Every structure is written in C-alpha cells, then in structure tokens.
Amino acid sequence: MSPLMREIATIIAQDGPITLERYMSLCLSHPRYGYYMTHDPFGAGGDFITAPEISQMFGEMLGVWISEAWSASDGPAGARLVELGPGRGTLMSDVLRVARVAPSFLANIEVDLIETSPLLRDLQRQTLTGESTPIDWRADFGEVPRAPLFILANEFFDALPARHFVKTESGWRERLIGLSSAGALAFGLSSRVESGLNVQAPSGSVIEVNAIAQRLIGEIAERIVVDGGVLLLVDYGYTQTTLGESFQAVARHAYVDPLESPGEADLTTHVDFAALKRAARAKGAKVQGPVAQGSFLRQLGIARRAETLCRRATPAQQIDIESALDRLVGAGDVREHMGELFKAMAIMHPDTPDLPGFES
Ligand code: SAH
C-alpha cells in the first residue's frame, strides 16, 4: 500500500468518506505524496504531454498575444506577467523569448510563477536560468502584488479539484469516496440531500461543479477589473454547462482507474468554460471566447510561423514541425489532435478592445 493510500484510508476511517474535491486535492497536492509534488509528469517518458512541450510555436503565439494584450491595455508600467501552473517553465521561456521583439513590454513587466510543487519550481528555475526579467515564485495567486496583471494558464484549471452530485429518487446527493469492505477505495453517496441544487434531471444524472475554479476566476476577474489586465485560459473542456462527468486519471499516456493508485496518476476534470465565464462576468469583467484552440492558434498565425521555421530546418525537422502543427491545431481524437477539445478564453478589463484570436 502506498503511503498516500495509507493516509487516505486513515482519514476515511477517522472522518468518514471524503468528497471528490478532497480526494483530488490529496492526490495532486498532498505536501509529501501528492502527484505534482513527486512527479515531473511531462513528455514522452512521463505521463502526458502539453502544448508547450509539443512545440515552441505554442508559447510563441501566446507570447505575441499577451504582449499585444498589454499594448491594447495602454501599455501600463509596473505590470506583472503571471503564469498559473507553469509545469517545466517551457511556456514562459518561449513567451519571454518572443517578447524580445516587443522590448517595451519586457521592460515594463515582472514575472510571477504560481506553483505549489517544489520539484516543478526547481525545473522551472533551471529552464529560466539566464532570463533578465525578474521572476518570483508564489504558492497562491492571492500573493501576487497589486498591479495590472497579464496572466497565462495552460492546462491549469483542469487540475483544480471538482465535486460531483448525483441525482437520486430523493434528490441530489454528493458523490463521496470511502472504503469497501475489502479495504479498497470505492465511490458512494452522501446521505445528505443538497437543497441548493435546483436542477431538473433524471435519476442517475451527474453534475460536475468546480467551485475552486469558479472562486479563483472570480478572484482574478476582481483584480483585473480594479487594476487592469487580462487572463488567457487554454484548457480542454466544454463550451456549455451540461450534465455528465469528466473525472479522469492519466498515467504513462493512458487512462487509468482514478481510485487505483492515489498520487501516481494525474487527476483532472474538463473545464466548464460557461461556468467560468459567468463567474468572470459576475465581477464585471469582459470575456472573449471560448474558441477552439485550433481556430485560436490559426488566427494568431501559427501556420505562417511553421512555414518560417521550416525554411531553416532540415527535412527531418520539417516533418517534426508539420506534425507538431497538426497536433496543436488539428481536429479529432484528443490523443492525436488538440485543436478541437482544447479551447481558449480571455477574461479582461471591461475597457479593453477586442483582442485577436476569437473570431468564430
Ligand atoms: N502549464 C504547464 C503545466 C500544466 S500541469 C504546461 O502546459 O505544460 C499543471 C501545473 O499546475 C503543474 O505545474 C502543477 O504543479 C500546477 N498546479 C496544480 N495545482 C496547483 C495549485 N493548486 N496551485 C498552484 N499550482 C498548481
């Protein structure tokens, strides 16, 4: 039995079954045994691969976009370039490299990396060695100093713990995780009926709610409405809030049982973009998108960038560039193509003019 499994079993034995939110939080962020505390999950030899790890073109497009967003916000001095969940630091490295063509942006920003994992902080520090822009690491968005904020979040919101509610004959009940008689983790239901949840649905339906993501978006939108700035959120998810669940576990590039080995797999849910849009608008922010990642990156000129890179590449490198482009923008099964399931959405100060990438 892994140390985290032992700890979860003890918690359940003491306090009773736990919510999915608590389970995800323990599995991903337990200070000693949490997945992100103990793993470098990215790349072919890891558990999954993210867009910045597929190609530098992704970070370059986001870098150009965020520096344009800064200019469109009247180029405020003392601004902060913030990244939520920077992984290996690859995205930020690509962003800072392309930002050199916009020297006034670089001259007016400091970087904040929001990262809980000491292991990933070390990797980020290595990747970003030699950058002249000042960089600070923070465990929580709330620690970012007051300033106009230019924020990037790629595959961050899917990692925030969600809750499930299941419709029963007697009403909605929260899905819990407890122990079976054999001592294995097993799904169950709370005995308490949720009276907030006033959603009509047939018995057996599931609703997924990410209260943590909605609260964080609210907090970010509040800051942006007061101090100026934008958030660009890129992640997999759906445009409309729907019934159903998307809780999944991935290890070594395959789907695995999310209750099987806590702390050993990446646990996520799809992002409910509509819910996050409502949370941002409720604070007075302007929202553009979501649009499909493929459409967003094409509008920003990723195909032209691929052509330019191909011109100075060897034939083998040209094949890699073309296949990376296809993977980032192409439609179809998400394991091969990110262009459709992944989406981009921007949250900004209400006075910001429309930013590129969001035409449908
Ligand atoms: N953006 C990166 C990595 C995505 S994985 C990329 O595209 O490659 C999720 C990242 O968010 C990891 O860096 C993880 O350690 C971090 N993370 C997860 N939950 C977090 C939390 N609650 N607070 C801060 N960082 C978190």
Side-chain angles (χ1 to χ4, degrees):
M1 197 189 281
S2 72
L4 185 58
M5 177 61 203
R6 230 188 330 267
E7 190 144 333
I8 291 174
T10 308
I11 290 172
I12 293 173
Q14 278 169 7
D15 305 350
I18 57 175
T19 62
L20 183 67
E21 183 181 270
R22 178 130 190 240
Y23 179 71
M24 280 185 78
S25 171
L26 286 165
C27 289
L28 294 178
S29 307
H30 183 283
R32 279 181 67 188
Y33 310 124
Y35 176 74
Y36 282 113
M37 306 299 152
T38 53
H39 289 68
D40 166 15
F42 311 103
D47 292 318
F48 58 93
I49 186 155
T50 57
E53 304 296 333
I54 289 173
S55 166
Q56 67 184 72
M57 295 185 286
F58 182 79
E60 290 171 347
M61 293 301 117
L62 268 58
V64 170
W65 189 92
I66 201 90
S67 67
E68 283 183 20
W70 176 81
S71 301
S73 311
D74 298 329
R80 307 196 77 93
L81 173 61
V82 182
E83 187 180 354
L84 306 175
R88 278 182 173 165
T90 309
L91 173 61
M92 185 52 75
S93 165
D94 293 333
V95 165
L96 292 175
R97 192 183 58 255
V98 290
R100 288 189 201 134
V101 302
S104 56
F105 172 59
L106 268 193
N108 281 292
I109 53 153
E110 293 193 15
V111 171
D112 295 284
L113 299 179
I114 314 304
E115 178 59 69
T116 40
S117 159
L119 181 120
L120 291 177
R121 279 185 182 204
D122 279 349
L123 278 175
Q124 292 154 18
R125 209 169 271 123
Q126 284 169 33
T127 306
L128 296 164
T129 313
E131 290 294 345
S132 51
T133 310
I135 301 177
D136 280 311
W137 275 265
R138 306 180 191 283
D140 189 84
F141 171 75
E143 296 170 17
V144 176
R146 292 216 29 202
L149 300 179
F150 295 84
I151 310 170
L152 296 171
N154 184 59
E155 288 208 46
F156 173 77
F157 280 87
D158 64 73
L160 298 180
R163 299 169 70 178
H164 279 173
F165 298 93
V166 182
K167 185 71 184 290
T168 66
E169 294 303 334
S170 53
W172 292 96
R173 292 169 195 272
E174 181 151 17
R175 177 172 276 164
L176 300 177
I177 292 161
L179 290 170
S180 70
S181 49
L185 293 173
F187 287 115
L189 289 179
S190 167
S191 56
R192 197 164 66 94
V193 173
E194 301 287 330
S195 48
L197 266 177
N198 196 11
V199 183
Q200 300 303 314
S203 192
S205 303
V206 181
I207 289 184
E208 199 164 70
V209 179
N210 201 320
I212 292 177
Q214 290 173 32
R215 266 202 306 276
L216 177 58
I217 285 288
E219 196 185 332
I220 290 172
E222 239 165 12
R223 291 279 297 266
I224 285 176
V225 167
V226 176
D227 294 332
V230 305
L231 160 71
L232 178 66
L233 189 171
V234 183
D235 219 314
Y236 48 93
Y238 37 93
T239 310
Q240 299 297 329
T241 303
T242 48
L243 291 172
E245 57 184 302
S246 62
F247 180 45
Q248 66 183 37
V250 167
R252 287 163 292 281
H253 302 272
Y255 296 107
V256 296
D257 179 345
L259 302 188
E260 183 61 37
S261 20
E264 295 300 313
D266 185 39
L267 302 184
T268 66
T269 60
H270 287 30
V271 171
D272 179 351
F273 281 93
L276 300 189
K277 193 170 183 164
R278 285 192 293 272
R281 285 187 168 157
K283 302 292 183 184
K286 170 176 164 176
V287 180
Q288 281 185 269
V291 295
Q293 171 172 301
S295 168
F296 181 71
L297 293 175
R298 280 184 193 285
Q299 288 180 55
L300 299 185
I302 196 169
R304 276 196 306 281
R305 180 65 184 139
E307 276 173 31
T308 307
L309 287 173
C310 279
R311 257 181 252 133
R312 350 179 190 121
T314 65
Q317 287 168 333
Q318 287 175 7
I319 292 171
D320 287 348
I321 294 165
E322 292 298 340
S323 85
L325 175 67
D326 182 51
R327 186 143 182 211
L328 291 175
V329 304
D333 187 326
V334 68
R335 279 164 297 184
E336 303 292 332
H337 293 103
M338 305 172 84
E340 207 167 43
L341 180 62
F342 281 73
K343 297 179 177 67
M345 183 168 90
I347 292 170
M348 61 197 86
H349 188 277
D351 297 340
T352 315
D354 280 355
L355 294 171
F358 294 101
E359 276 161 40
S360 51

